[in-house]
Amino acid sequence: MTRRYLMLTAMLAVTLPVHAATDAATRFGAREAVQQISLSPDGKRIVVLVPDAKRGTRAIVYTLDDDTKPPVTVLASAGDKEQIDYCQWSSNDRLICGASFTKGRVRDMVGFDRLVTVGADGKGLKVLSAAPSTDALDIMQDGGRIIDWQGDASGSAVLMTRQFVPEASTGTNLNVSDKGLGVERVDPATLRRARVERPRETAREYITDGRGKVRIMGLRPTDGDGYSAAKINYMYRKVDSNDWLPLSAVSGDSQTSSGFDPYAVDPTLNVAYGLDVQDGRTALFKVALDGSLKRELVFARPDVDVAGLVRIGRQRRVVGVSYVTDRRETHFFDPELKTLRVALAKAIPQRPLIQFIDSSADESKLLLWTGSDVDPGEYMLFDKKTRHLDSVLRARPSLDRMTLAPVKAITFPAADGTSIPAYLTLPPGKPATNLPAIVMPHGGPGDRDEWGFDWIVQFFAARGYAVLQPNYRGSTGYGEGWFKQNGFKSWRTAIGDVNDGGRWLVKQGIAAPNTLAIVGWSYGGYAALQSAVLDPSLFKAIVAIAPVTDLDTLRHEHDNYTDFALVDAFIGKGPHVAQGSPARNAARIAAPVLMFHGDLDQNVGIGESRMMASRLRGAGKSVELVEFKGLAHQLDDSEARTLMLDRSDTFLREKMGMPPLP
């Protein structure tokens, strides 16, 4: 087995592209060698999504217990307006894969996805999503998702959602009642399908018990204009009934919601696990589904939010809950996994981050990932029967021989005295004094940084920079009080914290004042630009990747979409829209700006970077915009990422008067 794993790792390593850029940019810019991985129900095979060329992807099946069987490519995409998102085993011999596509021009792009099924031998490729009718009155963008891998007693079918679109015919309407989201039982081998839940126009979510029965349904009402309301009503079924009963109502957006938000059903306990707010922080509760709706607190922390459920197996059994203090931790409910987690920590102390990725159907074999701040990670297979822990794949073999920089959890004071949590990464082998330094705010804004490996942070550390990642107020994970109104409405607080991080680096003597820069992606790119509006003299150079640059433009990118009302409320109205939009305050920005943006970005339209560049040029400022044709928000292309890293490093050194490095 070990020889097979080494062969696979070597194969992945040699597929990396060669660039006339710095060696560090090439290595760190290479996409992760394992994009996604899944274990077959019998535990004998894995399917791995691996990068192919600069932006393509291949799904490859490997046999773990037989070296004589060669790997099989079962699916491939070039990455041009289409990509493979994931592949999972529906049986020992068949896979279900999700793919997403983009159609149209830059200004009127339409994204949609489809599910396909293919044999483990690469044969018998079929579209699993229902075929849209030629008489459909609308576009079927949603190709469905699998909500239960045990769709029937035999295990040969799955439950999947289906978006029903009304149809029309000459002189009449047909199937006008078939509109909205429903559920079907589908056999991936034969494509036979049967309706399980009739479509409902306001349905947004269905949750099963992992045994083929739908137990919870989420309904989001719409207003008179067809926009989604900021409320979801959840209904549930008793175990022996098909009647729907009220469960809970969740109000607000994804970051500031209140009310019991269900995520999973435990069929043995007959309860729903879900999140709700307690004492200003997100906690885990369980609610009985027997008609009593008895509610119990399962887990809470006084300092941070619950991050999410930990689940395992084909039935997606709930085994624990995760949370993040300085680093991510798991509180296991399952005693066997709790004991195993302790044993693994002792066996591989150099990689304290452990995640259970998948398992065989009987859970006798566990696929897991282990990593740390200085180790991008390794996928491993644990056999409960033999107690063997075997290496499967390295996550980034291109970095195996590189010295990476330790990441340290720190705090720094904001101007009002608030202690801001952050992570500090110093270049390996360099004293923490008088260094070129970067403040790197995370995206979101509803997100947070965590302790662990980060390819952009490690690239800049390898190039000699100190990097500070602040979890500014507006970040998630620290409770409602920390999140404020969100990083747009409360931008002065969020950006103020970011800037205070830069001042702290200088005050501590870590950063040289004339070589302090800021780099960010998405909301982080917004923060990078807006930081210079708030304090034009602090940062000497700005790199913004796919940045939001105008809040009203971001709002109107959602025109005619059902989520417009939600986005509109999230951004809000008032003076903060103009004051908090860097494109409207370009004249205040003194530092030179470098931006990168993909022209198929559906998260933040490329028009925002083009507007920013135009406004900066109009104000006589230094700006450069690098556009990537055919790429989306994540710039999922090894050559593009390599160019971005290399150009950013060159730009920062040039604009801050630093000598170039080889």
Side-chain angles (χ1 to χ4, degrees):
M1 261 168 65
T2 302
R3 183 168 65 87
R4 169 67 67 192
Y5 300 147
L6 292 176
M7 287 173 60
L8 176 53
T9 298
M11 173 184 160
L12 293 174
V14 298
T15 61
L16 298 175
V18 177
H19 305 271
T22 64
D23 179 65
T26 303
R27 289 175 179 269
F28 286 103
R31 291 183 295 156
E32 194 169 16
V34 180
Q35 308 271 295
Q36 184 253 333
I37 186 170
S38 177
L39 184 66
S40 63
D42 60 9
K44 295 181 179 181
R45 288 189 282 194
I46 55 173
V47 60
V48 188
L49 294 192
V50 303
D52 188 20
K54 62 178 185 174
R55 64 177 67 170
T57 305
R58 285 184 293 158
I60 306 178
V61 169
Y62 292 90
T63 302
L64 299 178
D65 61 350
D66 189 347
D67 281 349
T68 65
K69 293 186 177 180
V72 178
T73 296
V74 297
L75 202 62
S77 92
D80 296 318
K81 291 194 174 184
E82 88 287 333
Q83 63 182 25
I84 306 171
D85 299 317
Y86 67 90
C87 284
Q88 299 280 354
W89 296 87
S90 63
S91 68
N92 290 323
D93 301 310
R94 183 158 286 276
L95 296 151
I96 293 176
C97 302
S100 53
F101 308 84
T102 304
K103 281 190 174 183
R105 298 168 297 178
V106 173
R107 292 189 177 184
D108 56 2
M109 290 182 294
V110 175
F112 62 101
D113 55 65
R114 294 292 182 265
L115 298 184
V116 299
T117 177
V118 63
D121 57 1
K123 299 177 182 178
L125 178 66
K126 306 172 184 178
V127 178
L128 192 63
S129 299
S133 169
T134 55
D135 296 322
L137 294 174
D138 202 352
I139 300 172
M140 191 180 82
Q141 292 181 261
D142 180 6
R145 68 181 186 90
I146 307 300
I147 59 172
D148 198 315
W149 294 89
Q150 298 289 116
D152 60 15
S154 68
S156 61
V158 297
L159 294 187
M160 63 180 289
T161 59
R162 175 178 173 180
Q163 179 190 358
F164 287 81
V165 177
E167 303 170 7
S169 184
T170 304
T172 184
N173 287 332
L174 301 177
N175 301 322
V176 291
S177 61
D178 284 354
K179 182 178 182 180
L181 195 68
V183 178
E184 294 183 324
R185 180 177 289 108
V186 184
D187 186 323
T190 65
L191 299 187
R192 284 196 294 266
R193 56 202 323 124
R195 184 176 298 185
V196 173
E197 294 294 334
R198 66 175 180 83
R200 294 169 172 84
E201 190 170 357
T202 60
R204 293 296 180 267
E205 183 179 9
Y206 294 95
I207 300 174
T208 78
D209 61 1
R211 298 176 179 175
K213 183 175 179 63
V214 178
R215 296 293 305 278
I216 294 176
M217 172 176 63
L219 304 173
R220 186 189 289 275
T222 56
D223 62 19
D225 296 320
Y227 293 126
S228 297
K231 178 181 180 180
I232 297 182
N233 296 313
Y234 283 99
M235 313 293 287
Y236 81 100
R237 283 178 171 140
K238 296 180 182 179
V239 69
D240 56 353
S241 172
N242 287 324
D243 296 332
W244 289 109
L245 301 171
L247 174 62
S248 63
V250 179
S251 300
D253 56 49
S254 58
Q255 281 84 39
T256 59
S257 62
S258 62
F260 178 75
D261 191 354
Y263 281 83
V265 171
D266 185 319
T268 303
L269 299 177
N270 194 26
V271 300
Y273 285 104
L275 304 180
D276 201 352
V277 176
Q278 175 168 285
D279 299 329
R281 304 191 192 281
T282 303
L284 179 66
F285 294 85
K286 62 182 178 183
V287 173
L289 301 181
D290 59 1
S292 69
L293 294 183
K294 180 183 177 182
R295 171 172 162 142
E296 294 181 39
L297 175 66
V298 178
F299 185 83
R301 294 276 304 189
D303 49 351
V304 295
D305 294 327
V306 164
L309 296 177
V310 178
R311 308 175 71 175
I312 198 169
R314 290 178 63 75
Q315 295 183 9
R316 305 295 295 143
R317 185 168 64 92
V318 176
V319 295
V321 62
S322 67
Y323 59 93
V324 186
T325 52
D326 287 346
R327 62 182 64 180
R328 183 169 287 263
E329 303 283 354
T330 299
H331 174 79
F332 282 104
F333 313 143
D334 185 284
E336 185 181 23
L337 288 175
K338 183 177 181 179
T339 300
L340 176 58
R341 173 65 179 84
V342 173
L344 289 171
K346 293 179 179 178
I348 43 177
Q350 72 278 16
R351 295 198 296 271
L353 298 179
I354 298 174
Q355 297 176 13
F356 292 99
I357 304 297
D358 205 351
S359 76
S360 57
D362 61 2
E363 297 185 22
S364 65
K365 293 181 179 180
L366 302 176
L367 183 66
L368 53 105
W369 172 90
T370 66
S372 74
D373 54 341
V374 295
D375 190 326
E378 184 170 4
Y379 293 89
M380 310 186 80
L381 187 68
F382 179 73
D383 191 320
K384 290 183 181 179
K385 295 177 181 178
T386 64
R387 308 300 292 178
H388 283 175
L389 180 65
D390 293 310
S391 173
V392 177
L393 288 171
R394 294 287 295 163
R396 291 181 180 267
S398 61
L399 300 178
D400 280 351
R401 291 176 296 278
M402 295 195 72
T403 300
L404 301 181
V407 179
K408 182 181 179 182
I410 60 100
T411 61
F412 64 85
D416 62 3
T418 303
S419 184
I420 308 298
Y423 296 96
L424 178 64
T425 306
L426 300 175
K430 297 284 184 70
T433 57
N434 207 38
L435 293 168
I438 293 170
V439 176
M440 190 176 293
H442 61 74
D447 205 344
R448 59 154 293 167
D449 277 317
E450 296 184 27
W451 183 86
F453 173 83
D454 185 303
W455 59 278
I456 301 181
V457 171
Q458 289 292 338
F459 166 76
F460 282 113
R463 298 297 288 169
Y465 299 86
V467 182
L468 181 73
Q469 298 169 272
N471 279 322
Y472 47 84
R473 283 170 286 185
S475 303
T476 53
Y478 298 94
E480 293 178 323
W482 195 262
F483 185 71
K484 299 297 181 183
Q485 288 183 284
N486 69 52
F488 291 131
K489 289 181 179 177
S490 303
W491 72 266
R492 287 188 183 276
T493 301
I495 305 305
D497 289 350
V498 170
N499 286 358
D500 287 337
R503 297 185 186 99
W504 178 84
L505 286 170
V506 174
K507 186 176 181 179
Q508 295 296 308
I510 297 171
N514 292 326
T515 56
L516 180 64
I518 185 166
V519 177
W521 198 319
S522 194
Y523 179 89
Y526 163 83
L529 294 165
Q530 190 65 10
S531 70
V533 174
L534 199 60
D535 186 346
S537 64
L538 180 60
F539 297 109
K540 309 308 175 186
I542 300 167
V543 176
I545 308 158
V548 172
T549 69
D550 185 84
L551 300 188
D552 214 36
T553 298
L554 179 65
R555 183 201 322 275
H556 289 295
E557 286 176 7
H558 294 260
D559 283 347
N560 303 318
Y561 288 89
T562 57
D563 68 348
F564 173 80
L566 301 177
V567 175
D568 180 55
F570 187 82
I571 293 172
K573 302 287 199 328
H576 74 277
V577 173
Q579 296 167 0
S581 295
R584 303 193 195 188
N585 298 277
R588 287 188 53 79
I589 297 176
V593 174
L594 172 63
M595 293 184 291
F596 301 91
H597 217 130
D599 71 352
L600 293 185
D601 192 332
Q602 291 184 287
N603 294 62
V604 182
I606 193 172
E608 296 213 35
S609 283
R610 290 171 177 169
M611 177 197 304
M612 190 74 214
S614 176
R615 299 280 177 85
L616 286 168
R617 292 190 191 102
K621 308 297 182 176
S622 172
V623 60
E624 179 183 355
L625 171 59
V626 178
E627 298 188 10
F628 293 110
K629 185 175 177 57
L631 288 183
H633 193 64
Q634 298 302 326
L635 303 182
D636 199 8
D637 179 309
S638 294
E639 289 187 7
R641 290 184 174 186
T642 295
L643 186 153
M644 180 187 71
L645 293 178
D646 187 56
R647 181 70 191 96
S648 296
D649 181 34
T650 301
F651 169 81
L652 294 179
R653 293 181 185 281
E654 177 184 293
K655 300 304 181 184
M656 296 193 297
M658 300 161 54
L661 288 181

